[in-house]
Amino acid sequence: PKEAQIWCYVHQYLVEAKKRGVLVEVLMFLFQLSFSTLGRDYPVEGLTAAQANALQHLREVGLVYRRKTASRRFYPTRHALGLFAGVLGDAGDASGAGGGAGGAQERGYIIVETNFRVYAYTSSSLQIALLSIFTNMLTRFGNMVVGLLARDSVVPAFMDGITAEQIIQFLEANAHPEMRGRAPLIPMTVTDQIRVWERERNRMTFANAALFEEFSNDREFELLARYARETLRCELASNAGQRLLAIDAGHLDALRDYYRNVVRASAGADDDDDGGGGGGDDGAPMEDISRFIDLS
């Protein structure tokens, strides 16, 4: 069958990838490919050299469509989605053995318990390797492996670009028939904890910012900070004592214009009222408030 031929090819490619020391990179690519959508294009940019090489090999056997070798987009085919999502059935490793495992693959093969233990009834090297991306493998038998979902196994997957929802979807898509009657399919304690582990990495948010400094006096700082905070609503942080103002970089031009047209003009009028003097730092307006540090 065509599926068995494709599986033998992929299995041998994984064997060679392991010899070259790039097995993890290739498996990550196959895992993400299993969640792709038929008919949707995906960018080549961002793939590592090993993943780009794997993409080319998958193209040659028809698992992905790429119009030209240098094309920047590719499309997963139906065969790829079926093979990597565990729908087509297992060809029984390179030896061709394990025909009975194919039926188990079609029905689902993963059981997840509330104690975070994972039981996978499969002898497929590919499926075991995909599961091990986010699971600590404890025991391996002839047709079953036992693993444990833990923080130290899930977080590295997050760092490689896999999301909590993708992990949960993978477990649900390959759930054993004995779990099909459950509601929810995967224990809520497990899914909630996976999401918590992901949120732990997202406690800090990043934004493109601009930092204003070296204000001539407190009045300039207060005017600009008030305008950023109350009118533009772009203030990210400020320190009145050190006269530092951080804003969303998208409002940089608007704040510059406000300084030049309002703050600087106001400072000039004050100088005229004082007789045109202005020696000292507090009397002279800033030369150019546009000096900023990009924090992006």
Side-chain angles (χ1 to χ4, degrees):
K2 181 183 295 185
E3 290 80 7
Q5 295 175 10
I6 293 174
W7 163 240
C8 288
Y9 180 88
V10 172
H11 179 269
Q12 188 58 40
Y13 187 82
L14 292 175
V15 172
E16 296 299 321
K18 184 176 182 179
K19 293 179 181 179
R20 300 196 307 270
V22 296
L23 179 61
V24 174
E25 293 180 51
V26 175
L27 285 174
M28 297 297 267
F29 176 61
L30 297 182
F31 185 87
Q32 293 179 333
L33 191 63
S34 70
F35 289 99
S36 55
T37 302
L38 186 66
R40 179 180 174 183
D41 62 319
Y42 294 87
V44 176
E45 182 182 4
L47 298 180
T48 66
Q51 291 171 341
N53 185 47
L55 176 65
Q56 180 59 26
H57 284 278
L58 295 180
R59 173 178 179 262
E60 292 172 358
V61 296
L63 291 179
V64 298
Y65 171 76
R66 195 179 179 189
R67 192 167 64 88
K68 296 180 180 179
T69 305
S71 297
R72 298 182 178 180
R73 317 288 294 186
F74 70 91
Y75 300 80
T77 65
R78 192 180 304 276
H79 287 296
L81 300 183
L83 181 68
F84 301 138
V87 177
L88 294 180
D90 186 26
D93 280 344
S95 63
Q105 287 275 35
E106 295 177 2
R107 297 191 304 271
Y109 60 98
I110 295 176
I111 293 179
V112 182
E113 295 187 340
T114 54
N115 60 1
F116 294 88
R117 283 187 177 268
V118 178
Y119 299 88
Y121 292 89
T122 179
S123 58
S124 166
S125 298
L126 175 59
Q127 295 294 346
I128 294 172
L130 291 176
L131 191 61
S132 65
I133 290 176
F134 54 86
T135 306
N136 287 329
M137 290 301 169
L138 304 178
T139 310
R140 181 167 182 173
F141 301 99
N143 63 345
M144 184 187 76
V145 293
V146 181
L148 181 68
L149 286 167
R151 187 179 185 279
D152 61 351
S153 65
V154 173
V155 171
F158 295 152
M159 296 175 66
D160 287 321
I162 295 175
T163 66
E165 293 305 319
Q166 286 179 330
I167 292 175
I168 294 171
Q169 289 172 18
F170 180 84
L171 296 174
E172 291 177 342
N174 295 282
H176 193 276
E178 291 187 5
M179 296 183 61
R180 295 295 175 180
R182 297 181 181 179
L185 196 59
I186 306 299
M188 190 173 296
T189 53
V190 175
T191 56
D192 287 348
Q193 187 60 58
I194 293 175
R195 294 186 178 103
V196 168
W197 285 328
E198 182 181 45
R199 285 197 296 269
E200 286 179 356
R201 299 189 63 253
N202 300 327
R203 291 177 180 176
M204 295 182 63
T205 57
F206 297 88
N208 293 328
L211 177 66
F212 287 87
E213 58 181 353
E214 297 184 5
F215 288 88
S216 296
N217 50 58
D218 290 339
R219 181 174 178 276
E220 283 187 354
F221 171 80
E222 292 171 0
L223 285 174
L224 213 62
R226 186 183 303 116
Y227 184 73
R229 180 173 55 254
E230 298 178 359
T231 304
L232 298 181
R233 298 184 182 278
C234 65
E235 181 187 73
L236 299 178
S238 63
N239 187 315
Q242 299 180 11
R243 296 177 185 171
L244 297 176
L245 174 65
I247 66 161
D248 186 330
H251 295 82
L252 177 60
D253 291 337
L255 206 59
R256 278 176 172 170
D257 292 340
Y258 177 78
Y259 173 78
R260 291 167 180 160
N261 299 330
V262 179
V263 178
R264 176 176 289 180
S266 176
D270 290 343
D271 288 344
D272 291 341
D273 292 342
D274 292 338
D281 289 342
D282 287 345
M286 244 179 106
E287 186 64 25
D288 187 2
I289 196 65
S290 65
R291 180 181 185 277
F292 69 97
I293 300 174
D294 188 3
L295 299 180
S296 60

